[in-house]
Amino acid sequence: MHVLYFHQYFSTRLGSTGTRSYEMAQKLIQAGHKVTMVCGSYGPSNTGLTTSFANGRRQGVVDGIEVIELELASSNHDGLLKRTWIFLKYSLRSSWIALFNKADLVFATSTPLTAAIPGLVARWLGGKRFVFEVRDLWPELPKAMGVIKNPIILAAMGWLERRAYKAAKHCIGLAPGIVNGISKHIPKDRVTLVPNGCDLDFLDPAKATAWRPATVKDTDFVAVFAGTHGQANGLDAVLDAAQELKRRGRVDIKLLLVGDGKQKEALMARAAKQELDNVVFHDNVRKDKMPGLLAGADVGMQILANVPAFYYGTSPNKFFDYLAAGLPVLNNYPGWVAELIESHRCGKAVPPDNPSAFAEALIDLADHPEQCQTMRIASRKLAETQFDRNQLADRLVKVLENAAR
């Protein structure tokens, strides 16, 4: 079958953002299907296309995927209005492609919620079958964060959410809370859980060449966060813990923040003002350099702002990367990720907004290397037994094949 795949933030491993859509597209191709990917130009991503844009788009084959990249640049630093405008432009231009591109199935993945629009157009006007993948619940999540407060906008988003779920032949949710949220609107047998997975071979710690930023010593105990520095990530919690560590004289523990985002400048300014030299900031790292970075760390930090909607409603890429790399995980919010960590003893879960508990957990890990080693083994085992991306991708391929029939 021919799958028309819509993901605004698509990236190959040459980028420094998540590659779920790239990996899933590869699995579809291996199963004998054709994939056309329609995306925008997202700052941390790399679509693999290098030719110049013509009439607002460029097109080519990247690792077997037919990629159509629309000239719609976006960045983690963009404000809400600019992001909204780009979301709408992407959905409108994608709808034209969805309507006239010959395909057996349209597969759209959020966020944003507007990614569903080309799927709806293909379904309603083109008679194509449509599968919708939900990475975050909208409008529930932006409403819970206080990002969107206008009742008219929230009502419009709620309408679009319900229409997308009902029009889709099947929905895919990336977290248990997302599946439950979708199931409020459609029968649960039309929803499948396919969380983010672990690239076991790519992130195998036995194959990686470890490296650290120049400002981090070989003798330091390193806790790494690799991801977006945005409002949702709540990285002030890391700086709060850094203050506590410094107060206790634990200068041997370094907190490494890798990535970019709207909050990064403010975080760096705060760290400089408070002389938190135990916090190390580093630019985005290309995906193909990530195995070495994680191999050079001692702990992976899974950090989010204390928003109850996050507890069961997110499927964080970095968490699964930490597992695949065999890192103990330090998590600072309750929910399904914390429950996995505690039940499999592959790290520590601390209460939100508690810098003392955060610092204490890091100190305990730093002072007990044998405990860290046991957790490393447990992390990798959890990755292999429950979150092998190959197996999860097979599940997604079956959903799409069944929907196309």
Side-chain angles (χ1 to χ4, degrees), residues 265-308:
E265 288 186 8
L267 291 165
M268 293 179 71
R270 178 188 164 188
K273 182 178 179 180
Q274 297 178 344
E275 298 181 344
L276 299 177
D277 49 6
N278 53 347
V279 179
V280 178
F281 292 91
H282 195 280
D283 292 338
N284 270 325
V285 170
R286 272 177 29 170
K287 192 75 174 180
D288 56 357
K289 303 294 183 185
M290 190 60 68
L293 174 72
L294 297 184
D298 298 291
V299 174
M301 293 187 290
Q302 175 51 44
I303 311 297
L304 278 176
N306 186 20
V307 177

Side-chain angles (χ1 to χ4, degrees), residues 160-174:
L160 178 58
E161 176 193 37
R162 293 189 297 274
R163 295 285 76 74
Y165 297 159
K166 291 178 180 179
K169 187 72 175 175
H170 205 91
C171 289
I172 294 169
L174 268 70

Side-chain angles (χ1 to χ4, degrees), residues 82-123:
K82 184 177 180 181
R83 288 165 65 90
T84 302
W85 177 235
I86 292 171
F87 292 162
L88 290 173
K89 286 201 292 184
Y90 172 80
S91 63
L92 292 174
R93 292 179 62 183
S94 295
S95 294
W96 186 262
I97 297 171
L99 194 57
F100 293 103
N101 190 297
K102 292 182 180 180
D104 301 296
L105 182 76
V106 170
F107 180 41
T109 181
S110 68
T111 56
L113 177 60
T114 46
I117 292 175
L120 289 171
V121 169
R123 174 71 183 87

Side-chain angles (χ1 to χ4, degrees), residues 213 215-216 220-226 229 235-246 250-258 271 276-282 297-301 303 330 355 358-359 361-363:
T215 53
V216 179
D220 287 333
F221 183 87
V222 177
V224 65
F225 171 91
H229 296 29
L235 293 179
D236 275 301
V238 176
L239 271 60
D240 293 341
Q243 277 188 302
E244 182 67 17
L245 288 169
K246 195 163 184 182
R250 294 306 301 261
V251 295
D252 58 310
I253 300 175
K254 294 293 190 298
L255 307 180
L256 175 59
L257 302 182
V258 179
L276 299 177
D277 49 6
N278 53 347
V279 179
V280 178
F281 292 91
H282 195 280
D298 298 291
V299 174
M301 293 187 290
I303 311 297
L330 177 57
F358 196 130
L362 285 169
I363 290 170

Side-chain angles (χ1 to χ4, degrees), residues 332-346:
N332 78 327
Y333 61 96
W336 78 293
V337 169
E339 290 165 5
L340 277 170
I341 291 169
E342 290 177 329
S343 62
H344 292 271
R345 299 180 180 178
C346 60

Side-chain angles (χ1 to χ4, degrees), residues 300-328:
M301 293 187 290
Q302 175 51 44
I303 311 297
L304 278 176
N306 186 20
V307 177
F310 286 153
Y311 296 173
Y312 292 91
T314 60
S315 183
N317 278 311
K318 63 188 74 64
F319 170 64
F320 299 99
D321 287 348
Y322 299 153
L323 294 183
L327 278 179

